[in-house]
Amino acid sequence: MLNLVILLPLAVALALPAVPRRAVPWTWIAVSLVDLALVIGMWAAHGTGGGIAYETDVRWIPSVRAGYHVGVDGLSLPLLALTAALFAACAVYSLRQTHRVRGFAILFLFLETVCLGLFAALDLLLFFVFFDLSIVGMYFVILLWGHGDRTRSALVFFLYTFLGSLVLLLGFIGLYLGADPHTFDMVELTRTPPLSGGPAGLTLLAVGIGLGIKTPVVPFHTWLPPAHTDAPAAGSAILAGVMLKMGTYGLIRIAMPMLPDAWRHYALVFLIVGLVGVLYGALVALAQDDLKRLVAYTSVNHMGYIVLALGAAGYATGDADARRLAVTGAVTQMVSHGLVTGALFLLCGVLYDRAGGYDLGRFGGIARGAPVFAALAAVAAFASLGLPGLSGFVAEFQILAGTIGSGTAATAVTGALAVLGILVTAALFLRVLHRAVLGPPGELTPLVTDVRRPELAALVPLLALSLVIGVAPRFLLDTIEPLSAAVVALVGRR
Amino acid sequence: MNENPADLAPELCVLAAAVAGLMAGMFLPRRRQWPVPAVCSAGLVAGLAFAGAAATRPGLMAFDAFSVDAITHVTRITVLGSTLAVVLLAAGRVRGHPRESEHHVLILLSALGTIMLGTSSDLLVLVAAYLLASIPAYALAGFGKDAPGTEAALKYYLMGALLGVLMLGGVTLLSGVGRGTAYPVLRAGLAGAPPAAVAAGLVALLAGLLFKAGAAPGHYWVPDVTEGAPPAVAAFVTTVPKIGAFAALYRFGAETSPDGWAALLAVVAAATMTLGNLAAFGQDNVRRLLAYSTVSQAGYLLVPVAMAGRTDLARPALLYFVAAYAVTNLGAFAVVVAAGRDDLAGYAGLLRASPLLGLSLVVCLLGFVGTPPTAVFVGKVLMFGAALDGDHAWLAVVAAVNTVASVFYYLRWIVPLFRRPAGPPRRARGATALAAAAALLSLALGIAAGAALAA
């Protein structure tokens, strides 16, 4: 079933050239909905149990012991569901698109397979293959359907993240060579961490930089604002909603369990890098006049919380319950950020579709002409700044409580400082609402008509899910908790 | 002592085909020379069949000078397959040419020399193979008898002659201090020889082999020949002789393991990939761009050569990468032949005008970058693994940085493909089919890497 989930979009993408032009968007929507239903079915069947389910292990390159090994657990399932949901939303959102629809659909279905495959991969080489293909896919999305200085943005995106992926590959080969016998299999590498001492530190450096560029953490975030600004709305939503998670997912799935000694040793580095991301992302976002850049920088801020929480989880001297809470919060934040930021980028896309710009100063009083848009924007903004009752609050509360609560001086101080990030985020989103949605009319405001039906159908489910997680997070947390307990135990091994 | 000629059946097939082609070319009327490429292709196919059969048998040594082992099998199959592709690529273009039969025969003879380069375990045979592989190629480079071709041939010849003489000197020196020319003898002899003499002999020997491989510092001929020679010949000289050169380099390193081999080759590898990449940045002529890309790829290929004898990963890395490189390079050149354009701007809209050709080019260029799941990706993973396992982490980092740099110029070629077509597409069915086949093979080799590596 998992293989079907992963490969179905790709199979349909290959068949899409034969589909009549008018049926292309509907085929795309149907496939993504079927895939979403299959993922939900898998989640329901897996329940809240621990361990790996739906495993497939086929030999691929046996001489280096790499295989097509996939499976799901409490960490994969929420991310697979998020991926399927966001891709379905993008399919619905793109219903009105007219420019090269067929190619767009093929590329997105390809990307869906790649993203789903990555979150299900249990083999380092397979993980890397999907990691690299996601870069290629997104490069073409930005290059062919982007706007502004898209050629340059796409090139910067490709070069920067490709460098990250190659450094990551060196780290993976380090893990491979450290294991005895040599293997790329993640399950075996997790069972017996292969390296210790200096080599482990270097490997963590390579893996950390590789995943850090993708996440992105400050100072490796400079590829992100141009890529997000010039990508089409659906591309930005996938890039921020799904592909940024590849970095943090890799930290939880690969770096922490496979290099526990090194992770504990350098936990302070991750704490500080996370804190810098939180504060820097929030402050720079505050200074933006371009709405899409602003959302891009809040991603730096939100991903910073995740790195912060994972750093705190490495403090072996801290309270184990609190560290578990931090990891659970980190995974919840991944899901929450995916939903909310995906919605925010799609909303930016609505503005660009109508008015052809993102400049905050030229909008104002949108609420009068487009009340539904204004309401959706307000909900998304509040979800992003972490208002109770929405998913961001659940995630950030757990992260901060876990970080501060694990009881060591370093985590307490960084956690307390990170709270300031929430304050700045609140300020900047209120400023956006104040200037663009309320306030006096701007020069572009008359162009902004209200959201159309496909846009509404794409946006409402994302924000509704955020609300569901905010009000009744139990189903999500119950799935994640066995996993976070396992990760904390793995990273605490000596 | 094993002196069974049947062990060299693939080589004999190529030789027989070349001789038959030459004889047929002398008696056939000028306008009706089509049997010559047919004979040559048949010889290559027969050679491939023998080589495939030989690959299933255990390794052995023939005539005390030819090793028939895994390296030989891969060299044979890759060289024969690539040569077949080049003959098919050239067949349409030189049809009816006054020297049509000579063209194909020269290609076959050069391929034969290349295979011998890869199989020889004796310095004297190595020199003979070097000459056999080189001299037909000089003539091929100037085949068009036009100004750029003549310049290319002259440059190629002068460079090859100079470095070949240097190599001969190195062979003399090594056989003198090592008391023999066979690799097993040299292994024992060089260990007790004066280090300075060994080093000097080694450097001189490398000069010739690096020239064949198109690696620094013997790479100056690559761009001029690639641009000046006919496209099919350019595809040949940037693909086939390299295969033999890398096999020869690896075999010499692994079987004689001289002091300082890894350090010397690692520096050459780093210099080659960096030089090739930097020079490729500003190229607007796709053939020059491909030429510098082959130089940089030669740099990556030298990494496992440098690690010869230091890690178990070196041999699979080299063999896999060589085959992957040959497939990808031939695919890219087939696109150039099919499109018939040398300027980057001429590729605008190719994807719309001829989706098959455009897609093949995208696959080949992304393959050069090492994007999964193409063949070069697996080669690169093994190459990185060999460098790290051989304690040359710095070389792996240099290779990674170079790979990222190379993305830039490959993308410069990919981007125009998506623009609007400038004019109606050219019809070149054969070359298009070959390009598509190469792209498919690259993907297949990447996905089915397990089966290929196990063989």
Side-chain angles (χ1 to χ4, degrees):
Chain A
M1 183 134 139
L2 180 58
N3 293 315
L4 179 67
V5 168
I6 296 172
L7 296 174
L8 179 68
L10 183 64
V12 175
L14 292 177
L16 214 56
V19 172
R21 193 187 171 88
R22 288 185 56 194
V24 166
W26 294 105
T27 316
W28 181 17
I29 292 171
V31 174
S32 51
L33 288 177
V34 168
D35 226 35
L36 178 61
L38 287 172
V39 173
I40 292 171
M42 276 195 335
W43 192 345
H46 181 270
T48 54
I52 298 167
Y54 301 107
E55 219 174 332
T56 308
D57 193 357
V58 184
R59 286 147 56 92
W60 176 32
I61 313 180
S63 52
V64 293
R65 302 235 297 150
Y68 174 81
H69 190 178
V70 292
V72 296
D73 61 7
L75 175 58
S76 313
L77 276 172
L79 288 168
L80 288 175
L82 168 72
T83 307
L86 262 181
F87 272 99
C90 286
V92 174
Y93 179 87
S94 306
L95 196 58
R96 284 185 55 254
Q97 180 162 338
T98 48
H99 178 56
R100 298 195 198 179
V101 184
R102 198 189 299 267
F104 197 66
I106 291 176
L107 210 48
F108 267 73
L109 288 169
F110 167 76
L111 270 174
E112 183 166 3
T113 287
V114 167
C115 294
L116 291 169
L118 183 126
F119 292 127
L122 288 177
D123 183 278
L124 287 180
L125 211 54
L126 189 66
F127 180 93
F128 179 79
V129 166
F130 287 129
F131 196 87
D132 230 20
L133 284 177
S134 73
I135 297 172
V136 176
M138 190 47 77
Y139 168 75
F140 286 119
V141 169
I142 300 176
L143 178 71
L144 300 178
W145 286 274
H147 42 254
D149 194 1
R150 60 189 183 184
T151 315
R152 198 187 133 73
S153 298
L155 185 66
V156 168
F157 165 76
F158 197 123
L159 290 181
Y160 212 134
T161 50
F162 194 69
L163 178 66
S165 83
L166 285 178
V167 175
L168 183 65
L169 179 63
L170 292 184
F172 284 178
I173 293 175
L175 284 169
Y176 163 77
L177 293 172
D180 186 31
H182 295 342
T183 182
F184 280 111
D185 194 88
M186 286 192 198
V187 180
E188 284 178 43
L189 287 169
T190 305
R191 199 182 301 134
T192 46
L195 295 161
S196 62
L202 280 177
T203 309
L204 181 63
L205 183 69
V207 172
I209 289 179
L211 295 172
I213 288 177
K214 192 80 173 180
T215 298
V217 298
V218 178
F220 301 127
H221 66 286
T222 47
W223 63 270
L224 181 124
H228 275 89
T229 311
D230 293 340
S236 300
I238 295 300
L239 184 56
V242 179
M243 287 171 63
L244 295 192
K245 309 300 170 305
M246 293 176 176
T248 47
Y249 173 82
L251 291 179
I252 300 183
R253 173 70 81 204
I254 296 165
M256 292 173 75
M258 295 182 199
L259 297 159
D261 291 333
W263 188 273
R264 285 199 306 273
H265 195 249
Y266 295 104
L268 187 63
V269 176
F270 287 92
L271 269 180
I272 291 172
V273 165
L275 177 67
V276 171
V278 166
L279 295 180
Y280 178 87
L283 287 173
V284 177
L286 185 63
Q288 297 303 317
D289 276 328
D290 182 316
L291 184 60
K292 219 172 173 190
R293 276 182 98 81
L294 180 146
V295 179
Y297 274 110
T298 62
S299 293
V300 176
N301 161 276
H302 284 114
M303 301 312 276
Y305 288 115
I306 301 177
V307 177
L308 178 79
L310 299 182
Y315 262 87
T317 47
D319 176 39
D321 283 337
R323 290 188 290 137
R324 266 207 301 278
L325 192 62
V327 174
T328 310
V331 180
T332 315
Q333 172 79 330
M334 288 191 213
V335 177
S336 161
H337 175 257
L339 294 172
V340 175
T341 308
L344 278 171
F345 274 122
L346 293 182
L347 284 167
C348 290
V350 173
L351 276 191
Y352 188 81
D353 180 54
R354 311 289 195 274
Y358 301 117
D359 195 349
L360 269 180
R362 298 166 72 192
F363 290 102
I366 294 175
R368 200 163 309 144
V372 183
F373 176 87
L376 290 171
V379 173
F382 282 125
S384 188
L385 65 81
L387 194 76
L390 293 157
S391 60
F393 172 74
V394 180
E396 278 160 25
F397 175 77
Q398 291 186 94
I399 288 173
L400 293 172
T403 306
I404 297 170
S406 64
T408 61
T411 54
V413 171
T414 46
L417 286 173
V419 176
L420 292 176
I422 296 187
L423 195 65
V424 180
T425 323
L428 76 93
F429 272 115
L430 291 176
R431 180 170 151 267
V432 169
L433 292 178
H434 188 77
R435 280 177 70 178
V437 178
L438 311 169
E443 51 175 314
L444 292 178
T445 310
L447 295 173
V448 181
T449 50
D450 216 340
V451 287
R452 302 196 173 92
R453 245 176 284 163
E455 292 159 352
L456 197 65
L459 282 161
V460 167
L462 294 181
L463 295 173
L465 272 173
S466 172
L467 185 68
V468 169
I469 295 174
V471 175
R474 218 43 276 162
F475 75 99
L476 180 64
L477 300 183
D478 282 346
T479 312
I480 300 170
E481 258 153 16
L483 178 274
S484 43
V487 167
V488 167
L490 286 171
V491 85
R493 279 180 300 182
R494 304 211 166 254
Chain B
M1 181 76 89
N2 171 15
E3 301 201 337
N4 181 6
D7 293 331
L8 300 179
E11 288 79 6
L12 293 176
C13 282
V14 178
L15 183 62
V19 173
L22 198 60
M23 302 300 275
M26 288 161 96
F27 295 106
L28 283 169
R30 261 197 191 171
R31 292 275 144 210
R32 296 194 43 213
Q33 303 229 324
W34 60 266
V36 177
V39 166
C40 291
S41 308
L44 291 168
V45 170
L48 267 175
F50 279 115
T56 59
R57 290 198 291 269
L60 52 86
M61 188 87 165
F63 299 99
D64 279 344
F66 297 98
S67 301
V68 183
D69 54 8
I71 303 175
T72 301
H73 299 321
V74 174
T75 311
R76 274 175 176 169
I77 292 173
T78 317
V79 169
L80 292 171
S82 309
T83 311
L84 186 61
V86 172
V87 168
L88 295 179
L89 206 57
R93 289 212 140 199
V94 296
R95 173 160 299 162
H97 194 280
R99 285 168 282 127
E100 182 182 355
S101 57
E102 283 88 334
H103 188 271
H104 297 299
V105 170
L106 287 174
I107 285 181
L108 251 63
L109 288 176
S110 181
L112 180 61
T114 303
I115 301 180
M116 283 172 59
L117 262 183
T119 55
S120 66
S121 285
D122 189 298
L123 286 179
L124 288 180
V125 180
L126 189 72
V127 170
Y130 172 87
L131 292 174
L132 181 56
S134 303
I135 292 168
Y138 303 148
L140 281 171
F143 193 78
K145 280 195 175 175
D146 47 0
T150 312
E151 190 195 331
L154 197 65
K155 211 163 189 174
Y156 196 16
Y157 168 70
L158 286 177
M159 195 94 192
L162 172 69
L163 295 175
V165 168
L166 256 179
M167 175 179 168
L168 208 53
V171 168
T172 315
L173 197 55
L174 286 176
S175 62
V177 296
R179 294 164 199 284
T181 55
Y183 290 176
V185 180
L186 278 176
R187 186 188 187 95
L190 289 183
V198 175
L202 209 57
V203 170
L205 174 72
L206 280 181
L209 288 177
L210 290 178
F211 160 78
K212 281 270 89 170
H219 68 282
Y220 290 102
W221 62 273
V222 179
D224 292 309
V225 174
T226 315
E227 192 187 7
V233 173
F236 181 79
V237 295
T238 55
T239 311
V240 175
K242 278 183 189 227
I243 303 167
F246 285 113
L249 280 167
Y250 181 86
R251 192 186 291 284
F252 184 81
E255 293 186 7
T256 66
S257 54
D259 290 337
W261 177 262
L264 180 59
L265 263 289
V267 171
V268 173
T272 302
M273 57 180 93
T274 312
L275 276 174
N277 276 330
L278 292 183
F281 272 172
Q283 302 299 336
D284 285 323
N285 178 312
V286 294
R287 280 210 258 163
R288 283 187 89 82
L289 190 151
L290 268 181
Y292 282 114
S293 123
T294 69
V295 173
S296 72
Q297 299 285 333
Y300 307 134
L301 277 159
L302 281 174
V303 172
V305 170
M307 296 301 125
R310 293 173 68 94
T311 156
D312 293 340
L313 280 172
R315 200 174 71 170
L318 177 77
L319 297 181
Y320 203 87
F321 207 145
V322 164
Y325 163 77
V327 169
T328 313
N329 202 40
L330 284 173
F333 269 104
V335 173
V336 175
V337 172
R341 295 290 297 258
D342 278 355
D343 52 330
L344 269 180
Y347 285 81
L350 185 66
L351 207 65
R352 193 77 63 86
S354 170
L356 191 62
L357 202 59
L359 217 54
S360 308
L361 184 61
V362 171
V363 169
C364 286
L365 292 181
L366 287 178
F368 271 135
V369 174
T371 309
T374 57
V376 174
F377 162 68
V378 180
K380 271 205 173 147
V381 170
L382 293 169
M383 181 268 284
F384 284 132
L388 288 180
D389 203 26
D391 290 330
H392 278 65
W394 67 268
L395 192 55
V397 172
V398 171
V401 171
N402 264 293
T403 302
V404 174
S406 75
V407 173
F408 177 75
Y409 58 83
Y410 292 124
L411 288 184
R412 272 190 69 208
W413 195 357
I414 291 182
V415 170
L417 299 181
F418 294 94
R419 299 219 176 96
R420 295 203 171 280
R426 269 185 44 168
R427 288 272 162 246
R429 289 230 180 79
T432 306
L434 206 65
L440 274 180
L441 189 60
S442 165
L443 287 176
L445 272 176
I447 292 167
L453 275 173

